[in-house]
Amino acid sequence: EKLGIALVGLGYYSTDLLAPALQLTENCELKGIVTGSPEKIPVWQEKYGIKDKNIYNYENFDSIANNEDIDVIYVVLPPSMHKEYTLRAANTGKHVWCEKPMAPTVADCEAMINACKSNGVKLAIGYRCQHDPNIQAYMKVAKERPFGKVKMITSAAGYFDGRTDHWKQKKSLGGGAMGDMGVYALQGARLATGEEPISVLAQASTTRPEIYHEVEETMMFQLEFPSGALASCQTSFGIQMNHLQVNYEKGWLKMEPHSAYIGNKGSMSDGTIINYAINNQQAKQMDEDALAIIRNQEMPVPGEEGLRDIRVVEAIYKSAGQNCMVKL
Ligand code: NAD
């Protein structure tokens, strides 16, 4: 029996990636939608055969509690809304998947984790890359250390966003390059070391102040890890970049792209090629998360992992705002 998934927020990611991926999944299937845009309902019903009784809006959302078709509520809204909808979802007694960045603040993330715990439901963050064997390859190097200690990391994630009036450009909705793409650069450094940073030095900038005045277009940040490893990271809504380089005492690893939907690949100084075939990243993510729920196991990428990133993201904003190094 497949778990029934309800998508909350039918924007780009739900429409173009998650709903198509849910046609490929083996452990879960698209059963419901929650939307504030009634004009989307017939389109989604036509395409995915969603029953009338499994369609909700933001007002009657909480009555999903009584719907046996739905096992998991997947929050795919702007980041500032993740906390409210995760709390409401947890209170229905359904399991919760929430998109990245988990939420704008550490306090929000903690409230989300606590709400899921106290309701006895599981919480997963949509970090699809951690389900990708190509990313798991450098996580394994961090554990097994074939090249000695990690010394230096360069990690970048960005794209050119030409939009001028989107939540990604609004502070109140949780916009900014750091939370959107910066978490991939940050994850590259965290996963390649297997450590949590102890200090942060960051600089925010913009080349399009007419668009990026509430939030940063670009963030550069340096991280220091307990082992002494250093990372230089970049993220932007104005620059196409997607790479990771890890230099160890006695070798190196390079990935490009390193956080794409498809085609993440790389190589190591000993000649190892990282290029695992993967059918559909989001389908793999959702199948693995569904299986963990079915088997009552720990989620592969739990709320705590989203919180680890936001703890660093908060320090990055503090550093950029105060123009000083921030200790964690
Ligand atoms: P989007 O703007 O395309 O969609 C957002 C949806 O939220 C829209 O359907 C919109 O109508 C709805 N919404 C409800 N209230 C809103 C409000 N007050 N303001 C704006 N929109 C409102 O955004 P998206 O790109 O689909 O991103 C949604 C979430 O998914 C974000 O958290 C984003 O970071 C995440 N995402 C993750 C990935 C990934 O690879 N894991 C990729 C893209 C997006």
Side-chain angles (χ1 to χ4, degrees):
E1 184 77 355
K2 292 181 176 188
L3 297 185
I5 312 298
L7 293 174
V8 188
L10 308 180
Y12 155 72
Y13 197 54
S14 285
T15 305
D16 287 19
L17 281 304
L18 296 177
L22 281 165
Q23 310 313 302
L24 307 171
T25 42
E26 290 169 6
N27 305 322
C28 55
E29 62 189 319
L30 179 59
K31 279 283 182 76
I33 50 175
V34 181
T35 180
S37 311
E39 72 279 5
K40 291 179 185 168
I41 295 171
V43 181
W44 279 69
Q45 282 198 297
E46 165 100 355
K47 206 160 181 189
Y48 300 117
I50 295 163
K51 293 182 195 156
D52 289 342
K53 74 175 188 75
N54 294 349
I55 293 171
Y56 295 86
N57 57 43
Y58 299 120
E59 287 70 46
N60 65 17
F61 167 77
D62 309 272
S63 59
I64 294 186
N66 309 316
N67 190 331
E68 287 189 348
D69 283 357
I70 310 298
D71 301 290
V72 178
I73 296 175
Y74 196 164
V75 180
V76 198
L77 292 162
S80 68
M81 301 175 74
H82 290 179
K83 176 184 151 189
E84 179 192 338
Y85 281 86
T86 294
L87 264 57
R88 287 171 67 180
N91 287 337
T92 69
K94 306 295 181 183
H95 300 289
V96 189
W97 296 346
C98 177
E99 259 314 315
K100 46 57 64 178
M102 186 170 172
T105 69
V106 166
D108 289 349
C109 298
E110 288 171 343
M112 293 158 75
I113 291 169
N114 291 338
C116 290
K117 274 211 179 106
S118 64
N119 281 290
V121 300
K122 296 197 188 284
L123 173 61
I125 306 301
Y127 277 127
R128 54 187 172 72
C129 289
Q130 291 198 32
H131 299 265
D132 184 327
N134 296 291
I135 277 64
Q136 290 166 352
Y138 68 79
M139 295 170 72
K140 189 159 167 260
V141 173
K143 240 189 207 140
E144 296 176 357
R145 298 192 185 178
F147 309 119
K149 282 186 178 178
V150 178
K151 301 297 283 184
M152 183 66 76
I153 293 168
T154 309
S155 182
Y159 70 97
F160 184 87
D161 196 316
R163 292 175 289 194
T164 56
D165 187 29
H166 187 254
W167 63 261
K168 292 193 186 189
Q169 290 128 15
K170 295 187 179 122
K171 186 147 185 64
S172 63
L173 287 166
M178 186 59 224
D180 195 61
M181 296 302 286
V183 290
Y184 293 115
L186 171 58
Q187 288 248 319
R190 287 184 49 248
L191 301 179
T193 53
E195 298 176 42
E196 296 306 319
I198 54 171
S199 82
V200 168
L201 180 64
Q203 183 184 1
S205 62
T206 178
T207 59
R208 292 179 287 168
E210 68 285 5
I211 304 168
Y212 292 97
H213 45 87
E214 288 184 20
V215 299
E216 74 286 351
E217 180 188 28
T218 298
M219 186 73 86
M220 299 195 290
F221 54 102
Q222 294 175 30
L223 307 171
E224 184 189 357
F225 290 90
S227 63
L230 300 171
S232 168
C233 308
Q234 301 93 36
T235 187
S236 181
F237 282 149
I239 309 165
Q240 172 64 48
M241 50 185 174
N242 197 320
H243 57 268
L244 173 75
Q245 176 163 336
V246 192
N247 289 90
Y248 308 88
E249 287 171 313
K250 289 168 287 189
W252 51 259
L253 179 152
K254 293 180 191 182
M255 301 281 299
E256 185 160 19
H258 88 105
S259 55
Y261 297 147
I262 41 171
N264 291 322
K265 61 184 195 307
S267 58
M268 302 187 210
S269 51
D270 65 359
T272 305
I273 299 294
I274 303 171
N275 193 7
Y276 293 96
I278 167 168
N279 186 27
N280 181 295
Q281 212 181 38
Q282 285 83 2
K284 188 164 187 287
Q285 167 206 326
M286 292 189 282
D287 264 340
E288 289 177 357
D289 286 347
L291 203 57
I293 291 171
I294 292 165
R295 293 180 172 165
N296 194 22
Q297 293 168 341
E298 293 286 309
M299 299 308 290
V301 188
E304 286 78 3
E305 176 69 0
L307 167 62
R308 283 181 205 113
D309 278 344
I310 299 307
R311 177 174 161 266
V312 184
V313 171
E314 259 192 8
I316 286 168
Y317 278 120
K318 190 171 171 196
S319 172
Q322 301 180 355
N323 209 3
C324 64
M325 180 178 278
V326 172
K327 302 266 181 206
L328 278 156

